[in-house]
Amino acid sequence: MNESTTTPPAFPRAASRSWMEINVRPWLAIMLLMLLAGIAMGAYGYIQASHERRIIESGTPVTATVANLGQDTRQMPRDEPVRVTLGYTDPASKRTISSERLIHRKPGAVIKLKDEIPVRIDPADPTFWTARTEPVPMLQPLMVPLVLLPVVLICGLGTVWQRGRVMKVVNTGSIKRATVASVRQSPLAPLSKQIGVTIEGADRTVRQAYWPSGNGAIAKGDAIDVLSTGGSIVLPVRSYQ
């Protein structure tokens, strides 16, 4: 029987660790931040638009009076959304409601104190009202996420490219002795130290790297092994073993 053997990788942690290196992490962090922000804003906008659409279609119609324009003024143009306080009576509970919300833009129109405005209110929450008579297109709440999408894609490409540079060092670099020239905490790597190292026998350029806390203590003046191809990227060997 023929037996096949597989040579274990020289650096078994490279596949996962390479995403966390100092030149990769900023791109990855920005990509994830923009992605989460886009998802959150898109979800919030979609939920709000769906709620308003439901109120336009089945809310309780009432006539509200403009009680306050919020800027010590008696009238304001509606070229942009205006924050107003409306007063009205809830037909179900007979309570007098005072509710502050943004009224949608209506170019060329003016809103004044004491104006009477037809609105629809949410029977389950009478403080929620809308003066719209037609729902906004459901694509509108997704405009901000769509604007952020190119940024996410660019950062994603940057992340993959930078990770590829790291893997090139892992696959083709040689192990060299280096001296730790500086140690500090990085806000992008709370569980690691950002270290500056100089490679013995090379120029005195200080190259930056992350030293994960799992590697143990590190101090200025310590000698460590690093992977390097002579460029700006150095990788502590201990992080990959």
Side-chain angles (χ1 to χ4, degrees):
M1 179 182 295
N2 292 329
E3 293 184 2
S4 62
T5 59
T6 301
T7 303
F11 302 105
R13 299 174 59 190
S16 57
R17 176 63 206 173
S18 56
W19 295 103
M20 295 292 105
E21 292 299 344
I22 196 168
N23 59 309
V24 181
R25 193 176 299 212
W27 290 90
L28 182 61
I30 295 173
M31 182 190 71
L32 292 177
L33 180 64
M34 293 295 101
L35 180 62
L36 291 175
I39 291 173
M41 287 187 285
Y44 177 80
Y46 186 85
I47 290 171
Q48 290 294 102
S50 297
H51 185 196
E52 187 175 59
R53 177 183 291 267
R54 188 171 68 253
I55 302 309
I56 291 171
E57 293 173 351
S58 58
T60 304
V62 298
T63 299
T65 302
V66 178
N68 194 308
L69 291 174
Q71 296 190 10
D72 195 24
T73 182
R74 298 190 62 83
Q75 67 178 42
M76 290 187 69
R78 288 182 60 182
D79 296 329
E80 297 296 334
V82 179
R83 184 164 292 279
V84 301
T85 300
L86 299 184
Y88 50 87
T89 300
D90 174 23
S93 65
K94 307 303 181 184
R95 289 189 302 123
T96 299
I97 305 292
S98 180
S99 177
E100 181 184 46
R101 285 180 54 79
L102 286 174
I103 192 168
H104 64 283
R105 65 190 297 268
K106 193 174 182 181
V110 174
I111 188 169
K112 302 177 183 179
L113 283 176
K114 308 303 182 183
D115 273 355
E116 292 189 340
I117 300 175
V119 298
R120 287 184 176 270
I121 64 174
D122 185 350
D125 177 13
T127 63
F128 184 95
W129 55 265
T130 179
R132 292 186 187 274
T133 57
E134 296 290 336
V136 299
M138 292 309 291
L139 184 62
Q140 183 172 315
L142 303 179
M143 290 306 297
V144 172
L146 290 175
V147 169
L148 291 178
L149 183 59
V151 180
V152 173
L153 293 176
I154 290 170
C155 290
L157 291 174
T159 301
V160 172
W161 176 62
Q162 292 288 1
R163 196 250 182 178
R165 294 180 65 206
V166 171
M167 291 304 297
K168 182 178 180 180
V169 174
V170 172
N171 294 325
T172 65
S174 56
I175 298 177
K176 300 178 181 180
R177 201 65 170 168
T179 302
V180 178
S182 64
V183 179
R184 70 182 183 89
Q185 191 65 54
S186 169
L188 272 179
L191 299 180
S192 301
K193 297 293 185 183
Q194 181 173 334
I195 60 174
V197 301
T198 56
I199 298 175
E200 295 179 5
D203 57 55
R204 303 307 296 172
T205 300
V206 177
R207 296 168 171 84
Q208 301 295 314
Y210 283 149
W211 182 266
S213 57
N215 287 359
I218 188 78
K220 184 177 179 180
D222 285 353
I224 61 172
D225 289 332
V226 298
L227 278 165
S228 174
T229 56
S232 61
I233 298 176
V234 294
L235 309 172
V237 171
R238 191 164 180 179
S239 299
Y240 287 80
Q241 292 176 329

